[in-house]
Amino acid sequence: LNNILRAVKADLSGNQPCEIIDDESLLADKFSSLQSDESKLQGGALGALARPKSHLECSTALSLFASSGKQIAIVTGGTGLSGGAVPLAGAQMISLAGMKDISALGFDPDKGHHFVRVQAGVTLAELNEHLGELEEKVFFPVDPTETSASLAGMVATNASGARSFFYGSIRNWVRWIRVVLSDGSILELTRDEFRIIDGQIILEIGDEQRELKLEGISIPETKHTLGYRYRDDSDPIDIFIGSEGTLGVITDVELQLEPVPTQRMYFLQFFNSESSALSFVCDLRKEEKLKTLAIEFCDRKSLDFVLQSSVRSDCKAAGLIKDSHKAAVYCEFICETEEELLTLYERLETVLEKNGSRIEDSFAGTEDKDLRDMKMFRHAVPETINSLIARRRSEIPGLHKIATDMSVPDEAIQTVFDLYRGHLDSRNLEYAIFGHAGDNHFHVNILPRTEEELRVAKEAYKEIAAKVVSLRGAVSAEHGIGRIKKAFLLEQFGADEIDKMKKIRSFFDPDLRLSTGVLFD
Ligand SMILES: Cc1cc2nc3c(=O)[nH]c(=O)nc-3n(C[C@H](O)[C@H](O)[C@H](O)COP(=O)(O)OP(=O)(O)OC[C@H]3O[C@@H](n4cnc5c(N)ncnc54)[C@H](O)[C@@H]3O)c2cc1C
């Protein structure tokens, strides 16, 4: 273990030319979609676009861009929800979407697991399909819902999703990354090879040596993606995971894989009261013998959206919704043995009875078709919301939904729920609450009907975020800060802590050109 990171200087011989488009009209005609991402934040026109096919080409592009001194935006899948990939006007952009190689499967005998190396642009869907065709029964467990997200983008945002309740975020699954720094030099970070020692790390690029004395940042214990995560003895790879493109361009990633479990069980339970649904969530996560992958929640408004959606007629689970249901909880379990399956049934029945709910109000299955049905059910909520808000936007162009992404500690689950209801009901806003209840992480979607309601919704969000921080929660659990939640990051850490993060930022990117204005100004 050592604290000296050695980057290899960029090769300026021109041996690895990279496709760079700088024709303004071509950029405007063919690549204007890159001015925005799934956050729908609108950026400015691009000054140039580089489309590398390898880390060496990426290095060439960055060293060429370095001479211009302009800002550089980084995009791979473009599915981010916080505007981190959105370019400022005139920025140069690196798109890694064309980097599609997947290596042969490897096996680490010391750690006893398989692993795979992918180039930045491989999407989650492509990786899943590739692994599904192999003889070895392995899979990649992190599932941030949107399968067109790239693996590099997922590392850059420390992506998680429903199953992070069991598997954690992608951070737990990254073994190695290759990063190209803003001057084009190439850095490789293997997990457990480096450490921050006594708060210090050293970066060597050829003859140049930089030293950084890090000061600790108070990281919340709850699920989070909040800029640079480190403690005094952290592994520097963890500073890059979740750095949202502000420290370097991730060109390759090596990921740990899991054996495919013997059996999965999907389970959806309806409740006649919200409080019994939340109490069921709390009791279920105490069941340590169960391998519970995901615990997801839908309130009554979300159930109404499922009923209004186009999938209603094809989705068995949707057909079970009754007027008396006030909430639903969706869970996913794995079982390796018959005994585990029996324990699961017994414990589920006990926990349901304790919370006044009956197994008749449930839908369960173990086959792929059941998973598809459940996915249809869950996806129907955001899909219906998105088409509703699109209709409203066609009449009032500036309108958009506000989707929260905050987590709190276990003991605050009911408090945060009441907080949302109190702030949003008192302002007469329309909203639905759904999401990752196992991690006390709800995506509350506020649906303004007018511009005034949008203003009021933003004001409510700000107040709720401040309370979440006071509950020792995180203002971003998985989507990241990007450009649109910078004020919340300041609320989370305060100016002094943000200054500590800025030192890290300028250590790796002294001219502050990568993803300028992302995380903080
Ligand atoms: C319908 C929907 C559902 C979603 N659900 C979830 C969910 O459950 N959980 C979750 O975590 N996320 C979710 N997301 C958000 C999104 O899919 C993730 O943030 C994803 O990890 C982004 O990957 P991407 O390749 O699209 O990144 P991009 O959108 O391209 O970029 C995201 C950020 O990472 C940076 N970045 C991208 N590529 C690189 C790179 N190669 N090197 C360095 N920085 C880079 C960008 O600059 C930007 O700051 C959802 C999105 C959608 C649209």
Side-chain angles (χ1 to χ4, degrees), residues 418-483:
D418 296 342
L419 193 69
Y420 280 122
R421 290 260 184 253
H423 278 70
L424 303 178
D425 287 341
S426 65
R427 289 168 162 99
N428 196 24
L429 291 165
E430 186 183 15
Y431 64 96
I433 305 184
F434 57 93
H436 318 307
D439 290 316
N440 315 300
H441 169 205
F442 298 102
H443 292 305
V444 180
N445 278 214
I446 314 173
L447 310 166
R449 289 158 286 216
T450 61
E451 279 176 358
E452 173 57 11
E453 281 198 355
L454 178 61
R455 190 193 62 74
V456 171
K458 285 182 182 166
E459 178 189 276
Y461 190 3
K462 219 171 137 195
E463 287 174 6
I464 298 167
K467 290 264 170 55
V468 162
V469 172
S470 71
L471 290 168
R472 293 181 296 112
V475 293
S476 168
E478 64 182 8
H479 295 160
I481 298 297
R483 293 193 184 282

Side-chain angles (χ1 to χ4, degrees), residues 74-80 84 144-145 150 152-154 156-157 159-160 244-245 248 250 478:
I74 308 165
V75 68
T76 309
T79 71
T145 319
S150 72
M154 285 170 61
T157 55
S160 37
E244 299 189 49
I250 300 165
E478 64 182 8

Side-chain angles (χ1 to χ4, degrees), residues 321-518:
I321 302 174
K322 292 186 195 152
D323 289 347
S324 58
H325 294 152
K326 295 288 180 283
V329 176
Y330 161 80
C331 314
E332 215 175 301
F333 304 95
I334 47 175
C335 299
E336 298 300 342
T337 60
E338 279 297 309
E339 202 188 329
E340 279 185 7
L341 192 63
L342 270 178
T343 311
L344 171 60
Y345 281 126
E346 276 172 22
R347 294 311 307 156
L348 260 182
E349 253 188 346
T350 311
V351 178
L352 281 174
E353 258 174 40
K354 181 175 171 231
N355 290 289
S357 194
R358 302 163 321 149
I359 204 95
E360 294 82 67
D361 281 325
S362 68
F363 174 81
T366 55
E367 293 174 27
D368 285 352
K369 68 175 174 41
D370 304 313
L371 176 62
R372 274 196 299 279
D373 205 274
M374 299 279 192
K375 279 197 165 169
M376 233 191 274
F377 182 94
R378 287 168 51 216
H379 293 182
V381 182
E383 269 164 28
T384 313
I385 288 178
N386 290 344
S387 48
L388 173 72
I389 209 76
R391 278 202 303 280
R392 286 185 188 166
R393 198 171 35 243
S394 67
E395 282 169 24
I396 308 173
L399 228 49
H400 58 86
K401 73 171 181 186
I402 293 201
T404 73
D405 174 40
M406 302 188 278
S407 62
V408 290
D410 283 358
E411 66 275 12
I413 188 169
Q414 184 69 56
T415 314
V416 80
F417 212 83
D418 296 342
L419 193 69
Y420 280 122
R421 290 260 184 253
H423 278 70
L424 303 178
D425 287 341
S426 65
R427 289 168 162 99
N428 196 24
L429 291 165
E430 186 183 15
Y431 64 96
I433 305 184
F434 57 93
H436 318 307
D439 290 316
N440 315 300
H441 169 205
F442 298 102
H443 292 305
V444 180
N445 278 214
I446 314 173
L447 310 166
R449 289 158 286 216
T450 61
E451 279 176 358
E452 173 57 11
E453 281 198 355
L454 178 61
R455 190 193 62 74
V456 171
K458 285 182 182 166
E459 178 189 276
Y461 190 3
K462 219 171 137 195
E463 287 174 6
I464 298 167
K467 290 264 170 55
V468 162
V469 172
S470 71
L471 290 168
R472 293 181 296 112
V475 293
S476 168
E478 64 182 8
H479 295 160
I481 298 297
R483 293 193 184 282
I484 62 181
K485 289 189 220 149
K486 288 188 274 191
F488 290 170
L489 194 71
L490 188 61
E491 178 75 50
Q492 179 88 47
F493 289 118
D496 289 350
E497 303 267 278
I498 296 278
D499 280 347
K500 293 177 192 168
M501 287 202 191
K502 286 183 177 172
K503 282 189 189 151
I504 301 176
R505 168 99 171 85
S506 40
F507 178 66
F508 287 106
D509 176 18
D511 299 327
L512 310 178
R513 285 185 304 110
L514 295 179
S515 306
T516 314
V518 169

